[in-house]
Amino acid sequence: DIQMTQSPSSLSASVGDRVTIPCRASQNLAGYLHWYQQRPGKAPKLLIYGTSTLQSGVPSRFSGSGSGTDFTLTISGVQPEDSATYFCQQTYTTPATFGGGTRVE
Amino acid sequence: QVVESGGGLVQPGGSLRLSCAASGFNVSGHYVAWVRQAPGRGLEWVSIFYSAGATAYAASVKGRFIISRDTSKNLVYFQMNGLRVDDTAVYYCATGSTVVTPVDALDVWGQGTVVTVSS
């Protein structure tokens, strides 16, 4: 199985900060890497798919980058409503594993 | 959209069948996955039913859980047998719209159904 590692598990930011959330895979994902946002008590929401494609309706301050085994979610100008946990997921192969998540406060 | 049902309280070793009702799309043409989240924990991908009929499972549930679909009812089922305490979680049904299908991402999620395994 492909292992997905997200570190740190939490971070603090101030409004307007540029926040970067890393995700590392145990093997090459060929771009099959996606990012989800989950607010407490809610279902996850897809933000970025295929490493860098912004999902429709998602604010443009969110962006994704990376290749191979190393990927990053960037929030440029974090807003209060961005307080949530962010998960990366690989779908290169099954089981389509998630990272452990990074909580942004 | 997708709507889950069938969760509840069950004793260890028991069984439950979850249902995922699809609307606005045909389950025969889309993959449908189950993702669970234990209390206070992260997301765990559990199983998937591909449009062509192939299935896949996480190692933690393989041999105990079975995913199936009924295209006449536009439903996907998740039969959970031999339930254990550590299967306690919110179970989400999710699928991918046409835009994200090429990379198997999940952009349509249900609200989740709670499964509690306890004596």
Side-chain angles (χ1 to χ4, degrees):
Chain A
D1 298 359
I2 296 178
Q3 308 303 316
M4 304 299 293
T5 301
Q6 289 186 253
S7 181
S9 59
S10 67
L11 61 87
S12 295
S14 299
V15 173
D17 282 353
R18 181 173 182 266
V19 173
T20 58
I21 300 171
C23 173
R24 173 166 287 180
S26 60
Q27 64 185 75
N28 192 318
L29 300 183
Y32 284 73
L33 187 283
H34 324 300
W35 291 95
Y36 300 84
Q37 176 194 65
Q38 186 181 35
R39 296 189 175 102
K42 299 296 186 181
K45 172 187 174 183
L46 179 67
L47 297 178
I48 302 282
Y49 62 94
T51 302
S52 60
T53 303
L54 192 67
Q55 171 70 340
S56 177
V58 174
S60 58
R61 62 180 179 273
F62 290 93
S63 63
S65 62
S67 64
T69 61
D70 291 295
F71 301 87
T72 301
L73 174 69
T74 300
I75 310 173
S76 300
V78 70
Q79 299 299 305
E81 60 267 31
D82 300 334
S83 291
T85 301
Y86 294 85
F87 296 92
C88 59
Q89 181 207 21
Q90 67 80 20
T91 57
Y92 181 69
T93 187
T94 56
T97 41
F98 287 91
T102 296
R103 186 170 65 179
V104 175
E105 300 173 336
Chain B
Q1 66 174 30
V2 292
V3 178
E4 308 93 335
S5 61
L9 173 64
V10 62
Q11 292 187 336
S15 298
L16 272 179
R17 189 179 77 165
L18 306 183
S19 297
C20 174
S23 60
F25 70 98
N26 293 320
V27 297
S28 60
H30 291 259
Y31 51 80
V32 176
W34 289 94
V35 175
R36 69 183 180 182
Q37 188 168 36
R41 305 296 296 274
L43 302 174
E44 180 186 12
W45 181 96
V46 181
S47 183
I48 193 166
F49 199 111
Y50 290 102
S51 59
T55 60
Y57 301 89
S60 58
V61 306
K62 196 169 186 178
R64 299 189 297 128
F65 294 5
I66 300 171
I67 191 170
S68 62
R69 71 183 179 189
D70 185 334
T71 55
S72 67
K73 296 180 179 179
N74 218 26
L75 286 169
V76 172
Y77 298 110
F78 203 43
Q79 179 67 42
M80 304 187 295
N81 303 319
L83 282 161
R84 308 188 299 222
V85 172
D86 62 359
D87 292 318
T88 295
V90 176
Y91 284 73
Y92 294 101
C93 172
T95 187
S97 67
T98 304
V99 173
V100 304
T101 292
V103 291
D104 291 349
L106 302 169
D107 64 344
V108 177
W109 293 70
Q111 82 289 348
T113 188
V114 178
V115 172
T116 303
V117 185
S118 174
S119 55

